[in-house]
Amino acid sequence: MGESNNSKTIEFPVSLTVRDLAAKTSASPIQVIKILMSNGVMANINQQIDFDTAAIVASELGFEAVLEASKEDVVAEDTSEIPLWRRLIMDEDPKKLVKRPAVVTILGHVDHGKTTLLDAIRQTNVASGEAGGITQHIGAYQVVQKGRLITFLDTPGHAAFTAMRARGAQGADIVILVVAAEDGVMPQTKEAIAHAKAARVPIIVALNKIDRPDANPDFVKKQLSESGLVPDEWGGNTMVIPVSAKQKKGLEDLLEAILLVSDSLDIVANPEGKVTGVVIEAQIDKARGVVATLLVQNGTLQSGDTVLAGETYGKVRAMFDYTGKKVKSAGPASPVQVLGFGVVPPAGDLFQVVPSEKEARAIIQERQAEKSRHTVTASKATLEQLFEKFQAGEVRELPLILKADVQGSIEPIINSLNELSQGDIKINIIHAETGSISESDVMLAAASKAIVLGFNVSADTAARNLAEQQGVSIRLYEIIYRMIEDIEKALKGMLEPEVKEVNVGQAQVRAIFTINKVGTIAGCRVIQGEVRRNTRIRVMRNGEKVFDGEISSLKHEKDDVKEVRQGFECGISLKGYNDLSEGDILESYVIEKTS
Ligand code: GDP
């Protein structure tokens, strides 16, 4: 592509990604990024750079760049999160980088055959070469194909994958999307596509159960195309590999496809570099203490190393590979089970080797201090905060997840939202689906720093709890234009802050006194929390709200007071309301801005 007769001359379009620039100049993306950095340009691998900048890089690499004549329109690729492993090797000496095995994870709808496929691959190709493969479940295993290793994460399901993404770690280089040939694209298939796309991890489709008489591969390929995965045989760039996990057919082709994709990704690491990676899973074993499976992504983990993960650390007492064999070291893309942590490290956390336990403790202390400085809301992707980031130029897109009651509402909403994209700020609808807002939507949102919009749907309790915990913003609407208006306001920075009610306490009316000139005073007992003079009061009668307003006086015995705590009696009168009656519950609450 693009090279002219003179081998030193290269044709470039008006803009291209760092990745393409590297490919065209046969340089490594890291090399290109470094040259860009030395010229004061901070760019990630998927970032578009203009022709002039590309020409400077090319000249440093010994090429002369000329503008490509015909193709003027270059579709801007998303500026994206750079995959974790590339970030980890950023500081490594490019000369020391060598290819490492690809790490693969399997996603897909329930019952489409993820577990069967993982087992089939494990049994036929385990790296140990032993018939039947005496393997242990440690959360990952390796197979050999054409003399090359491939690492599989065998905790199927996108919950694990998303949990990893939500923590900023990204264990997998490639996603295998399992789709049953007789069932086709189902809700969890779409979710998996959304997860993989949001993480910018390439997808290979394993079209499973082709042995079934009711298999309909063409129909499924059509569905996949509609979901944005156009099969390569139809001119797209998604490999769709027919397999039967049950009959162990097509597995070789699938492994070949993985090798092809991993070659195109140029997955490298420095085995001698800084030791880093991801915690795949961890638990407590009664006999052995904390047992953690670590996936090394750079460097070589050695027995005796001090490993730090999140807010826990340990000295590696012993390491085992997935066959249960004791090993002394583990290089890039190797999963190993490690004994020696003091506390269970959370799955998905990054780990690193540090020089000493003392240093580990110091880093942990620093992390804890940092955490207490930033409350949960600090990471919250509220619309207001996103606007600030737009202004600061930190983000260029607004990621949204849309849930609606019926399919018929989705399309008009998407169309209206897309029309809002303005200038270089894009609306990016990561996932749109019918149904109420679930935990899995919130997970996806947390991982992608997205906001969840609900139209005529509610969020279940689990989803609300997780959203609270993860700092994910959920906005519910019943009128389309209100939703669109909000997003538009957010883009323009005019949004009213989100508010929420905070319960302060409750009092129950025990007796009513009517006093001339003063009006009604309710003799109350505070039954929960406290009642404060400067809060709002909602009057509930038989579970229904009958009034909402302010307190005009709050007395304890004869004194005016600011607050009365649970268990105490008080006299309350309300501004503009004299119809209190015995048994009423007065709820004291305040309205707080959530951001
Ligand atoms: P998961 O929920 O995606 O992990 O799916 P499982 O691996 O548990 O498989 C669900 C069901 O589909 C099981 O009954 C499997 O035996 C069956 N199954 C999986 N792969 C195949 C296949 O290639 N052909 C057929 N006919 N059945 C399969």
Side-chain angles (χ1 to χ4, degrees):
M1 232 173 92
E3 278 189 45
S4 76
N5 298 337
N6 180 343
S7 65
K8 280 277 176 189
T9 312
I10 295 191
E11 285 187 0
F12 285 153
V14 284
S15 81
L16 76 174
T17 61
V18 169
R19 187 198 298 282
D20 290 345
L21 174 55
K24 278 172 181 276
T25 52
S26 309
S28 80
I30 306 298
Q31 230 176 327
V32 171
I33 289 172
K34 288 210 157 152
I35 297 176
L36 284 167
M37 271 162 66
S38 65
N39 284 287
V41 180
M42 303 300 283
N44 69 42
I45 188 152
N46 288 319
Q47 203 154 316
Q48 291 282 335
I49 50 175
D50 62 23
F51 171 83
D52 290 341
T53 314
I56 293 171
V57 176
S59 78
E60 292 207 26
L61 291 165
F63 295 93
E64 195 198 336
V66 294
L67 195 58
E68 223 173 52
S70 53
K71 299 177 209 141
E72 284 147 35
D73 283 337
V74 177
V75 184
E77 252 188 80
D78 282 346
T79 56
S80 68
E81 31 181 278
I82 195 163
L84 170 76
W85 64 269
R86 287 210 192 268
R87 268 180 279 139
L88 294 180
I89 58 169
M90 225 56 177
D91 294 330
E92 298 291 342
D93 179 354
K95 287 201 275 311
K96 296 214 164 138
L97 295 175
V98 293
K99 275 203 173 184
R100 64 153 173 83
V103 179
V104 179
T105 190
I106 296 197
L107 306 181
H109 196 71
V110 63
D111 276 348
H112 279 197
K114 297 180 291 293
T115 316
T116 314
L117 183 62
L118 276 163
D119 287 346
I121 294 172
R122 180 201 292 265
Q123 283 162 21
T124 41
N125 294 70
V126 275
S128 69
E130 289 167 73
I134 313 161
T135 59
Q136 302 218 325
H137 260 279
I138 68 164
Y141 64 83
Q142 291 190 302
V143 301
V144 187
Q145 173 70 6
K146 295 247 170 81
R148 290 170 65 184
L149 282 168
I150 302 171
T151 304
F152 279 83
L153 301 182
D154 72 348
T155 37
H158 46 242
F161 179 68
T162 316
M164 275 198 209
R165 281 192 53 224
R167 291 205 173 82
Q170 212 168 275
D173 307 308
I174 298 170
V175 162
I176 303 293
L177 179 66
V178 176
V179 188
E182 92 294 0
D183 204 20
V185 171
M186 298 304 277
Q188 284 172 291
T189 319
K190 287 190 187 164
E191 266 177 30
I193 296 173
H195 285 306
K197 284 200 167 165
R200 271 87 178 183
V201 176
I203 299 173
I204 298 172
V205 175
L207 192 54
N208 192 30
K209 307 198 189 183
I210 42 147
D211 57 286
R212 284 182 58 132
D214 51 352
N216 190 347
D218 277 341
F219 176 70
V220 181
K221 285 177 196 165
K222 190 168 153 278
Q223 286 184 314
L224 286 167
S225 305
E226 285 161 7
S227 298
L229 298 180
V230 183
D232 51 2
E233 61 194 292
W234 291 6
N237 47 21
T238 303
M239 285 203 246
V240 179
I241 316 292
V243 297
S244 166
K246 200 168 186 176
Q247 301 185 345
K248 302 198 169 75
K249 285 199 179 126
L251 304 184
E252 287 267 308
D253 295 341
L254 185 62
L255 297 176
E256 277 299 302
I258 293 170
L259 292 182
L260 270 176
V261 173
S262 61
D263 282 340
S264 75
L265 291 174
D266 189 25
I267 304 166
V268 290
N270 176 7
E272 295 162 32
K274 197 169 170 335
V275 190
T276 47
V278 184
V279 180
I280 300 295
E281 59 177 45
Q283 64 269 325
I284 292 189
D285 180 291
K286 276 206 191 96
R288 301 190 293 168
V290 175
V291 179
T293 298
L294 307 182
L295 173 72
V296 179
Q297 287 185 304
N298 194 55
T300 301
L301 181 64
Q302 313 274 0
S303 223
D305 279 349
T306 303
V307 182
L308 167 73
E311 288 173 13
T312 154
Y313 70 96
K315 209 173 177 73
V316 179
R317 270 197 285 126
M319 294 201 289
F320 303 89
D321 69 8
Y322 64 94
T323 64
K325 200 174 85 197
K326 200 166 180 179
V327 290
K328 285 220 141 47
S329 63
S334 305
V336 270
Q337 207 174 43
V338 166
L339 307 185
F341 276 100
V343 182
V344 176
D349 262 16
L350 286 180
F351 75 83
Q352 68 184 87
V353 166
V354 291
S356 67
E357 299 192 30
K358 193 170 157 220
E359 189 142 332
R361 281 192 294 271
I363 297 175
I364 290 172
Q365 253 177 17
E366 210 171 280
R367 283 182 183 169
Q368 285 168 339
E370 180 73 7
K371 206 159 93 187
S372 63
R373 277 197 292 276
H374 295 90
T375 52
V376 182
T377 47
S379 65
K380 198 168 172 177
T382 64
L383 284 173
E384 300 77 29
Q385 282 161 352
L386 273 167
F387 175 70
E388 282 166 20
K389 290 189 176 163
F390 293 152
Q391 280 199 317
E394 279 174 43
V395 291
R396 288 265 153 262
E397 62 172 33
L398 171 57
L400 298 173
I401 289 166
L402 172 67
K403 297 300 289 269
D405 54 345
V406 289
Q407 192 63 36
S409 326
I410 290 184
E411 203 176 319
I413 294 177
I414 290 185
N415 288 342
S416 314
L417 285 173
N418 280 335
E419 278 170 21
L420 293 179
S421 287
Q422 41 179 278
D424 52 355
I425 295 182
K426 267 185 21 187
I427 300 268
N428 179 10
I429 299 161
I430 298 174
H431 185 50
E433 185 87 83
T434 54
S436 60
I437 296 167
S438 66
E439 243 180 322
S440 128
D441 297 317
V442 176
M443 283 242 238
L444 177 57
S448 319
K449 300 242 168 4
I451 284 168
V452 185
L453 301 177
F455 177 70
N456 277 339
V457 294
S458 56
D460 62 33
T461 317
R464 269 186 277 127
N465 290 343
L466 186 68
E468 180 78 18
Q469 200 188 324
Q470 294 281 331
V472 167
S473 176
I474 297 179
R475 288 180 162 248
L476 304 175
Y477 300 89
E478 281 164 8
I479 301 171
I480 293 187
Y481 83 78
R482 284 229 189 283
M483 176 190 285
I484 306 302
E485 211 174 61
D486 256 16
I487 302 300
E488 190 172 12
K489 280 182 185 166
L491 290 178
K492 293 187 175 145
M494 291 167 13
L495 200 74
E496 296 291 323
E498 273 182 85
V499 291
K500 71 171 179 194
E501 271 185 32
V502 179
N503 173 42
V504 176
Q506 290 184 355
Q508 188 173 37
V509 179
R510 295 290 171 95
I512 299 291
F513 310 96
T514 306
I515 296 171
N516 280 345
K517 290 187 194 154
V518 180
T520 307
I521 295 177
C524 305
R525 186 182 178 84
V526 179
I527 53 173
Q528 182 248 315
E530 58 185 35
V531 170
R532 277 189 230 139
R533 166 78 178 78
N534 57 358
T535 59
R536 292 185 66 83
I537 293 285
R538 190 186 299 112
V539 181
M540 301 296 288
R541 188 171 300 154
N542 304 322
E544 297 212 0
K545 184 176 82 174
V546 292
F547 177 75
D548 194 339
E550 290 168 27
I551 293 180
S552 62
S553 94
L554 176 66
K555 283 182 193 284
H556 177 60
E557 293 175 348
K558 293 253 164 345
D559 304 326
D560 280 309
V561 288
K562 279 196 180 142
E563 74 223 353
V564 181
R565 261 179 280 138
Q566 184 172 341
F568 289 90
E569 313 269 318
C570 59
I572 298 176
S573 60
L574 300 177
K575 270 186 204 162
Y577 190 70
N578 281 320
D579 297 328
L580 284 170
S581 68
E582 227 178 286
D584 285 351
I585 301 287
L586 308 185
E587 296 178 355
S588 166
Y589 70 95
V590 289
I591 294 191
E592 273 182 6
K593 287 182 185 176
T594 56
S595 54

